[in-house]
C-alpha cells in the first residue's frame, strides 16, 4: 500500500452553525490533503426549545450551570446525529473510526484571543465509541491568529485544479471568503455579516426562523445611506486576513425601517461587505462559488450576480451547501492527526503555519 493510500481515512464531520437550526453531519474519505471523496450527509434538527436556548447562550450571558447543562445536551444531540448518519449511509459510515467535532460557538472574541465552542469531546467519544478531534481554533489563537476562518485549506483542496483565481464565499451567520490564486496563493477573511443579522431580524420582526425564500427582502427597498454608513465602520477597512468578534456588527441597526426595508438593507450590507473584501484581492476572480444558508437567498444571490462576472452555488460543483462545513471539519480532523497545518499567517494572521485540534481517544 502506498503512503498516500495509507493516510486515507473515512471520517465523520459534525458542525453546529450559528443559526442553531441543528447538527450538520457528513461522511468523507480523505487523506487531509487533495483527496476528498464525499459519501453524503444530513441535518439533524434541534427542537425549538433547545435551539432557543443555544441562541440565548450565543447572544447573551447565561449562568455557568445552565451553560454546562446546555453543553451536555448539545453533545448528546451530536451523538444522535452520528447514529442517524450511520443508519442512513450504512456500511461505509459504520467503517468510520474518527469524528471531527466543531461544537457550537457561543463566543468568538479574536481581538481578545479567546473563543468558546460548546461540546464535550469525552462524552461524544463515549457515546459513539469513536476517536474525536475537537478544539480546532485555540492553538491558532495562542499563536496570534484570530482562530477563523478555518475552511481556507479545505477550499483549496476542493479547487486545486482551477486555472484562474477562485473565491469561495460561505454565507453563514458571518460571511467568510477564501481567495485562491492560480499560483497556489491564498487569502482568507470574515467579510462581515452573513445571514445572522437577517435571521435575527426575521425572527424578531416577522416571527420567521429566517427570511424564507427572500419573502421579506424581495418586497423591500434598500436604504443605501444606511448601508454606506454601516460599511464605514473600522472593521471593513482592516487589512486581510481578519475575523469578526461576536459583537462586531451590532452597529448595523435597521430598527427604524419597515420589516421589508430592513431585510433588504441587511442583504445589501452583506453583499457590500463581500465586494469590499474582494476588491482588495490581488487579482480579479474567475468564479465566485457560494455556499452556506445564504446560497439559497434569492435577493443576496441576485445582488452578487449583478456585481461579479461569474457567481455559482457550490451545488453546481456537486457539493452540498448544507454539509460543506461538516465535511470541512472531517477533513481538518485527519490533518490534525497528521500534524499538518490548519492555518497559516495568510488565512488567520497566526505567527507561523499551525496545526491544531485536541485528540480524544
Amino acid at each position: 500500500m502506498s503512503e498516500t493510500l495509507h493516510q486515507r481515512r473515512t471520517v465523520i464531520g459534525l458542525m453546529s452553525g450559528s443559526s442553531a437550526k441543528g447538527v450538520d453531519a457528513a461522511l468523507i474519505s480523505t487523506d487531509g490533503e487533495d483527496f476528498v471523496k464525499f459519501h453524503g450527509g444530513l441535518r439533524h434538527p434541534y427542537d425549538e426549545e433547545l435551539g432557543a436556548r443555544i441562541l440565548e447562550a450565543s447572544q447573551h450571558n447565561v449562568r455557568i450551570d445552565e451553560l454546562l447543562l446546555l453543553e451536555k445536551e448539545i453533545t448528546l444531540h451530536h451523538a444522535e446525529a452520528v447514529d442517524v448518519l450511520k443508519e442512513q449511509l450504512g456500511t461505509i459510515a459504520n467503517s468510520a473510526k474518527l469524528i471531527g467535532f466543531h461544537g457550537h460557538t457561543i463566543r468568538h472574541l479574536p481581538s481578545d484571543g479567546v473563543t468558546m465552542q460548546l461540546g464535550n469531546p469525552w462524552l461524544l467519544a463515549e457515546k459513539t465509541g469513536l476517536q474525536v478531534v475537537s478544539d480546532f481554533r485555540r492553538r491558532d489563537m495562542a499563536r496570534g491568529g484570530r482562530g477563523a476562518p478555518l475552511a481556507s485549506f479545505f477550499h483549496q483542496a476542493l479547487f486545486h485544479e482551477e486555472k484562474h483565481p477562485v473565491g469561495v464565499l460561505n454565507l453563514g451567520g458571518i460571511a467568510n471568503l477564501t481567495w485562491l490564486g492560480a499560483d497556489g496563493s491564498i487569502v482568507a477573511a470574515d467579510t462581515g455579516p452573513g445571514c445572522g443579522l437577517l435571521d435575527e431580524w426575521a425572527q424578531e420582526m416577522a416571527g420567521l426562523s429566517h427570511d424564507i425564500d427572500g419573502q421579506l427582502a424581495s418586497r423591500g427597498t434598500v436604504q443605501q445611506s444606511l448601508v454606506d454608513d454601516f460599511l464605514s465602520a473600522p472593521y471593513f477597512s482592516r487589512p486581510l486576513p481578519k475575523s469578526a468578534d461576536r459583537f462586531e456588527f451590532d452597529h448595523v441597526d435597521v430598527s427604524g425601517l419597515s420589516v421589508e426595508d430592513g431585510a433588504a438593507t441587511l442583504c445589501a450590507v452583506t453583499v457590500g461587505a463581500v465586494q469590499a473584501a474582494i476588491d482588495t484581492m490581488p487579482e480579479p476572480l474567475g468564479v465566485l462559488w457560494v455556499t452556506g444558508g445564504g446560497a439559497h437567498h434569492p435577493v443576496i444571490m441576485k445582488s452578487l450576480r449583478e456585481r461579479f462576472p461569474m457567481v455559482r452555488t457550490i451545488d453546481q460543483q456537486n457539493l452540498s451547501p448544507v454539509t460543506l462545513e461538516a465535511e470541512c471539519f472531517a477533513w481538518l480532523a485527519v490533518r490534525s492527526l497528521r500534524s499538518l497545518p490548519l492555518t497559516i499567517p495568510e488565512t488567520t494572521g497566526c505567527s507561523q503555519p499551525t496545526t491544531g485540534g485536541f485528540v480524544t481517544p
Side-chain angles (χ1 to χ4, degrees), residues 304-318:
L304 287 170
R305 289 188 171 107
E306 289 170 349
R307 294 176 184 235
F308 304 106
M310 191 174 296
V311 178
R312 296 177 177 170
T313 55
I314 209 84
D315 53 4
Q316 293 175 270
Q317 191 77 359
N318 295 319

Side-chain angles (χ1 to χ4, degrees), residues 96-118:
K97 299 291 187 284
L98 178 67
I99 294 174
F101 177 37
H102 178 266
H104 189 95
T105 299
I106 60 162
R107 286 295 183 279
H108 186 67
L109 305 172
S111 297
D112 297 316
V114 296
T115 189
M116 176 179 278
Q117 286 73 44
L118 288 188

Side-chain angles (χ1 to χ4, degrees), residues 16-270:
S16 179
S18 58
S19 63
K21 292 184 174 75
V23 174
D24 299 328
L27 185 75
I28 66 172
S29 296
T30 185
D31 59 0
E33 297 186 83
D34 290 343
F35 175 79
V36 187
K37 183 176 181 179
F38 300 91
H39 301 295
L42 53 84
R43 173 166 289 169
H44 185 46
Y46 293 128
D47 62 42
E48 187 174 337
E49 187 265 346
L50 179 55
R53 286 169 56 209
I54 294 171
L55 289 175
E56 174 72 14
S58 302
Q59 297 167 7
H60 306 283
N61 292 323
V62 301
R63 287 171 23 179
I64 292 176
D65 57 343
E66 293 177 0
L67 209 58
L68 290 169
L69 291 170
L70 180 61
E71 179 176 63
K72 181 179 180 180
E73 287 189 52
I74 288 173
T75 306
L76 292 174
H77 198 83
H78 278 74
E80 288 177 5
V82 172
D83 290 340
V84 175
L85 186 73
K86 286 184 172 183
E87 184 177 339
Q88 178 171 303
L89 297 183
T91 303
I92 185 68
N94 285 312
S95 70
K97 299 291 187 284
L98 178 67
I99 294 174
F101 177 37
H102 178 266
H104 189 95
T105 299
I106 60 162
R107 286 295 183 279
H108 186 67
L109 305 172
S111 297
D112 297 316
V114 296
T115 189
M116 176 179 278
Q117 286 73 44
L118 288 188
N120 183 340
W122 297 101
L123 180 59
L124 184 65
E126 288 297 322
K127 290 295 181 180
T128 62
L130 304 180
Q131 187 179 39
V132 175
V133 180
S134 61
D135 196 3
F136 290 93
R137 300 187 187 273
R138 291 195 293 178
R139 190 176 186 195
D140 174 84
M141 298 181 91
R143 288 184 165 178
R146 298 182 69 83
L150 288 185
S152 308
F153 275 165
F154 183 57
H155 294 158
Q156 190 176 56
L158 298 180
F159 293 99
H160 68 278
E161 294 182 351
E162 290 286 337
K163 305 303 182 189
H164 303 284
V166 166
V168 185
L169 175 65
N170 177 37
L171 291 172
I174 300 292
N176 59 71
L177 173 74
T178 304
W179 182 90
L180 301 168
D183 61 355
S185 57
I186 184 168
V187 183
D190 289 342
T191 61
C195 297
L197 295 180
L198 181 61
D199 288 349
E200 289 178 26
W201 181 251
Q203 292 157 14
E204 293 172 9
M205 302 300 293
L208 300 171
S209 60
H210 59 289
D211 185 16
I212 302 166
D213 297 327
Q215 60 184 278
L216 301 178
S218 62
R219 299 200 302 267
T221 300
V222 175
Q223 302 301 304
Q224 191 60 45
S225 61
L226 283 179
V227 176
D228 295 341
D229 183 52
F230 296 150
L231 295 179
S232 68
Y235 181 81
F236 300 103
S237 59
R238 287 182 203 158
L240 280 58
K242 58 185 176 181
S243 177
D245 283 338
R246 165 65 184 85
F247 305 105
E248 197 84 62
F249 309 118
D250 280 3
H251 70 287
V252 181
D253 181 5
V254 294
S255 58
L257 303 180
S258 69
V259 178
E260 294 81 4
D261 288 358
T265 300
L266 289 172
C267 289
V269 171
T270 292

Side-chain angles (χ1 to χ4, degrees), residues 255-289:
S255 58
L257 303 180
S258 69
V259 178
E260 294 81 4
D261 288 358
T265 300
L266 289 172
C267 289
V269 171
T270 292
V271 175
V274 171
Q275 180 169 21
I278 289 178
D279 285 348
T280 69
M281 295 300 169
E283 296 178 71
L285 291 176
V287 182
L288 178 64
W289 293 97

